[in-house]
Amino acid sequence: MNFAEKVIAFNGQLEYTGPPLPANIRIMNPYREEEHALQISSTFYRQYYSDNNKRHLILGINPGRFGGGVTGVPFTDPKRLIAECGIGYNGKLTHEPSSVYIYEMINAFGGVKAFYSKLYINSLCPLGFTTIDNKGKEKNYNYYDSKELCTTVTPFMVDNIKKQIALGCYTDTCFCFGTGQNEKFLKKLNEIHGFFNKIVALEHPRFIVQYRSKTRQLYIDKYLQAFADAGIVT
């Protein structure tokens, strides 16, 4: 199988079967819950990953409800899926701020074809989490927001990092979205399991959009320099 078919198979088999999650936290699996997510994401991967090229891996935290949680493509909301990737979508046009930044960065890199020919984005936990707040509203939840949740799903994350490397990813350098808890936890896992020679942490897209929007070009430049330092060029 080429890279695309490996990713599609990986997405299709994703299921959390570990110990029960803490109270009020649920797993979010777009490939099982969203009617067209597996089909849409499969179209995306066949369009941009139908080759045998090795790629460098970028690991985020876990999918959010309005991007990968809808389309099945990490950091890609329906609006960007249509406008940037050229893939049709007939559902609700949700908006994820992180996706906006990611595609600004991708365009600065050289465009979607150039970027996805070199890099593969996913997350430490390829399935997401949600919780219900005091007002009864469903909200995104990060694996590290609860020590109990983190401990519970660690074996699942370790297993899926191994599976994603096996798709055809380099192990010399891994990029991490998040310079706080996500970086800390990935480096801890890496010390134990030796997944990668080097982990390069970059500020998380959501942080940039929410707190550093006026200087986002500086972060785009930082991303591109980090890729160049790892030998990734258009």
Side-chain angles (χ1 to χ4, degrees):
M1 292 192 291
N2 62 27
F3 201 108
E5 299 306 320
K6 290 177 183 177
V7 177
I8 293 165
F10 170 75
N11 290 339
Q13 61 81 46
L14 274 172
E15 183 178 10
Y16 178 74
T17 58
L21 303 185
N24 201 36
I25 300 172
R26 78 168 190 91
I27 201 83
M28 180 183 68
N29 186 343
Y31 309 107
R32 305 275 173 120
E33 298 170 18
E34 295 291 330
E35 183 179 2
H36 302 296
L38 187 58
Q39 177 186 347
I40 291 166
S41 60
S42 296
T43 299
F44 169 85
Y45 287 111
R46 287 182 176 127
Q47 183 162 319
Y48 295 106
Y49 287 80
S50 287
D51 54 55
N52 292 306
N53 298 340
K54 292 188 72 173
R55 289 165 168 85
H56 280 86
L57 180 59
I58 300 174
L59 291 174
I61 301 166
N62 41 250
R65 291 177 300 138
F66 301 126
V70 176
T71 64
V73 181
F75 290 93
T76 303
D77 64 17
K79 294 179 181 178
R80 259 44 64 178
L81 185 77
I82 296 168
E84 302 290 348
C85 303
I87 295 172
Y89 182 86
N90 295 320
K92 184 179 179 181
L93 295 179
T94 57
H95 176 88
E96 185 184 61
S98 293
S99 184
V100 177
Y101 171 82
I102 284 295
Y103 279 90
E104 289 178 354
M105 180 273 296
I106 286 174
N107 286 329
F109 181 89
V112 289
K113 289 184 179 179
F115 184 86
Y116 288 129
S117 72
K118 304 285 187 177
L119 292 128
Y120 168 74
I121 305 178
N122 211 297
S123 297
L124 263 76
C125 188
L127 298 180
F129 305 98
T130 66
T131 188
I132 304 298
D133 66 15
N134 295 331
K135 297 179 180 179
K137 184 179 179 181
E138 187 175 36
K139 298 176 64 176
N140 289 330
Y141 202 83
N142 296 324
Y143 72 82
Y144 54 68
D145 287 338
S146 157
K147 184 177 181 180
E148 183 183 357
L149 174 63
C150 186
T151 300
T152 300
V153 300
T154 291
F156 178 74
M157 290 193 283
V158 168
D159 182 56
N160 281 289
I161 292 172
K162 292 176 180 178
K163 287 180 178 178
Q164 291 183 92
I165 292 172
L167 297 174
C169 292
Y170 292 106
T171 56
D172 59 336
T173 302
C174 173
F175 299 94
C176 171
F177 281 168
T179 54
Q181 294 298 317
N182 204 41
E183 175 189 9
K184 181 180 179 181
F185 189 68
L186 177 55
K187 287 186 173 179
K188 178 182 176 181
L189 289 183
N190 199 53
E191 288 176 3
I192 298 170
H193 299 281
F195 298 127
F196 310 104
N197 296 340
K198 182 180 181 181
I199 293 170
V200 176
L202 299 164
E203 285 76 7
H204 194 279
R206 180 66 192 228
F207 169 83
I208 295 167
V209 172
Q210 189 167 352
Y211 299 108
R212 300 290 188 272
S213 184
K214 292 182 179 179
T215 57
R216 61 207 295 154
Q217 186 59 49
L218 295 177
Y219 291 96
I220 290 174
D221 293 342
K222 181 178 178 179
Y223 273 46
L224 299 185
Q225 187 60 56
F227 297 150
D229 290 345
I232 306 168
V233 294
T234 56

